[in-house]
Amino acid sequence: MAEQQRPTTTHEITYYLNIENAKIIALFMVTGFLMYHGVIHLKYSNDTCKWLLSDGRFPGYNTWQPYGCMMHKYTKSDARMCMHYISYWGKRNHIAFLGDSRIRQLYYEFVNLLSNEPVKNYKAHTNLHFKDDEIKVSADFLWHPMVNTSMFYVYKSWLMNEPLNRPNQIITGSATWSIKLNNASEDALKNFQVNLTMIQPLFKNLKADKNTDIIWMLQDPVDENRLGLNRSMITNRQIDQYNKVAIDLLDESQAKVWSSSDFWPKESDNQLKI
Ligand SMILES: *[C@@H]1O[C@H](CO)[C@@H](O)[C@H](O)[C@H]1NC(C)=O
Ligand SMILES: *[C@@H]1O[C@H](CO)[C@@H](O)[C@H](O)[C@H]1NC(C)=O
Ligand SMILES: *[C@@H]1O[C@H](CO)[C@@H](O)[C@H](O)[C@H]1NC(C)=O
Ligand SMILES: *[C@@H]1O[C@H](CO)[C@@H](O)[C@H](O)[C@H]1NC(C)=O
């Protein structure tokens, strides 16, 4: 009996669902999606993928699924093609990574994605540079693990510089050094706040006058139980406090806060390459 029922149901479906009304249903679905996305964009932002940096889910290792948009996994040739297009449309790809070891890891990921020859990762406490004339990309890593006057002058010089000597995208972040060097003191946190307050207006000017995008990457949590004695002061409570200072200060600057890293698996001592 059951076996006979199946073909009849299929038959009924095909009876109602012919090519004409399938087109109508498809049209309704597409219009529905368009309206849904339109409303989302109106309500939240017209940035095509605002949530790329902030809201989404973490369905599995090495994947991040932002709300409201699809993530595409770029292969080397995809990424190179993308950079090619950007330069073809007259835009520059000069990206600066400024900060601590965690920012250096991003730099290595980025450069290794684009580079035809593998770039060796090592714990460089120096500046690193990458340039590929074929796809017109340059990337710099500037070692600035502390938010201090030295970091201030880097932004200041970018503001003064010719457009060609200035990155059009800056990815930055720092905190663990301050926590470690100052043994997680309250004063250091206040000092960090003072220093970032000093730099924050430069973020604003770089975006407003020079159209340079700035992304502040919040500090990822650590796996406290697996940090060695020398780093035991780097607690998640400290990291949260530094992140909070950054969020509050950067709220009214033009910098975007990259917070999705909070969802990543916690770093243990051998991953925390400081
Ligand atoms: C800022 O911090 C870096 C280390 O992160 C240090 O080399 C530099 O001397 C500091 N600059 C000032 C002005 O304190
Ligand atoms: C703030 O900046 C001063 C001056 O460069 C520096 O000595 C100090 O270490 C910085 N503080 C923190 C917490 O980075
Ligand atoms: C760092 O702070 C902890 C807790 O406040 C304290 O026990 C420790 O002695 C301090 N270490 C140094 C080197 O000051
Ligand atoms: C901890 O710090 C001390 C002194 O700064 C150093 O001699 C020691 O090698 C460090 N230990 C580890 C495991 O890094």
Side-chain angles (χ1 to χ4, degrees):
M1 271 302 268
E3 270 179 18
Q4 261 183 349
Q5 198 143 11
R6 255 180 139 196
T8 17
T9 339
T10 330
H11 187 76
E12 247 178 62
I13 290 174
T14 44
Y15 179 78
Y16 290 112
L17 191 77
N18 55 41
I19 192 77
E20 284 311 314
N21 53 25
K23 276 184 192 166
I24 293 170
I25 292 170
L27 181 68
F28 268 116
M29 281 167 74
V30 170
T31 325
F33 276 123
L34 284 179
M35 277 162 58
Y36 171 71
H37 279 274
V39 167
I40 282 183
H41 279 224
L42 278 181
K43 194 164 171 199
Y44 297 100
S45 151
N46 50 13
D47 206 334
T48 30
C49 194
K50 184 177 183 287
W51 289 321
L52 186 61
L53 297 176
S54 53
D55 293 274
R57 25 198 206 100
F58 186 61
Y61 195 66
N62 268 345
T63 37
W64 167 249
Q65 176 58 61
Y67 298 135
C69 49
M70 290 298 288
M71 272 278 268
H72 174 67
K73 192 139 192 161
Y74 284 81
T75 61
K76 195 181 289 296
S77 58
D78 287 341
R80 289 182 68 86
M81 179 98 77
C82 173
M83 294 296 153
H84 242 319
Y85 273 127
I86 294 175
S87 72
Y88 177 79
W89 292 110
K91 291 198 179 158
R92 291 182 317 125
N93 290 306
H94 181 182
I95 304 180
F97 295 81
L98 176 104
D100 57 11
S101 57
R102 293 168 151 194
I103 302 291
R104 188 182 59 222
Q105 287 174 35
L106 288 180
Y107 167 84
Y108 280 137
E109 287 294 321
F110 179 74
V111 164
N112 272 315
L113 180 63
L114 289 174
S115 174
N116 280 328
E117 289 127 46
V119 175
K120 209 170 153 270
N121 297 20
Y122 66 106
K123 296 183 189 181
H125 284 193
T126 51
N127 297 349
L128 303 167
H129 304 282
F130 170 81
K131 198 161 192 280
D132 189 323
D133 287 327
E134 197 190 320
I135 52 171
K136 297 207 172 57
V137 169
S138 55
D140 306 308
F141 166 69
L142 304 178
W143 170 245
H144 277 279
M146 301 279 279
V147 179
N148 61 14
T149 22
S150 310
M151 187 191 266
F152 173 88
Y153 281 114
V154 175
Y155 284 101
K156 186 92 183 164
S157 77
W158 278 331
L159 258 178
M160 302 297 169
N161 252 327
E162 299 292 309
L164 282 178
N165 295 327
R166 191 165 58 222
N168 54 326
Q169 176 92 59
I170 300 166
I171 296 162
T172 184
S174 138
T176 42
W177 264 55
S178 169
I179 300 173
K180 183 173 186 299
L181 285 183
N182 300 297
N183 195 22
S185 79
E186 284 284 322
D187 285 346
L189 180 64
K190 287 205 191 88
N191 200 218
F192 173 83
Q193 185 171 24
V194 169
N195 291 5
L196 194 56
T197 309
M198 177 175 75
I199 296 180
Q200 185 250 28
L202 301 180
F203 286 1
K204 222 184 247 182
N205 292 348
L206 269 169
K207 177 65 188 166
D209 305 345
K210 315 290 181 187
N211 202 21
T212 300
D213 280 316
I214 299 172
I215 296 177
W216 179 278
M217 189 192 177
L218 293 183
Q219 292 285 323
D220 305 349
V222 291
D223 188 346
E224 287 172 14
N225 297 325
R226 294 177 65 186
L227 286 186
L229 253 177
N230 282 5
R231 291 173 183 163
S232 58
M233 69 295 274
I234 307 178
T235 59
N236 286 326
R237 187 164 170 272
Q238 280 282 319
I239 286 181
D240 284 347
Q241 286 177 331
Y242 276 77
N243 282 344
K244 189 172 181 309
V245 166
I247 292 170
D248 288 347
L249 278 175
L250 300 181
D251 195 29
E252 68 230 61
S253 81
Q254 299 280 335
K256 289 180 182 146
V257 173
W258 181 355
S259 56
S260 59
S261 57
D262 245 13
F263 296 86
W264 285 87
K266 292 183 174 125
E267 281 179 277
S268 61
D269 207 13
N270 49 11
Q271 290 166 299
L272 188 60
K273 302 191 182 74
I274 50 180

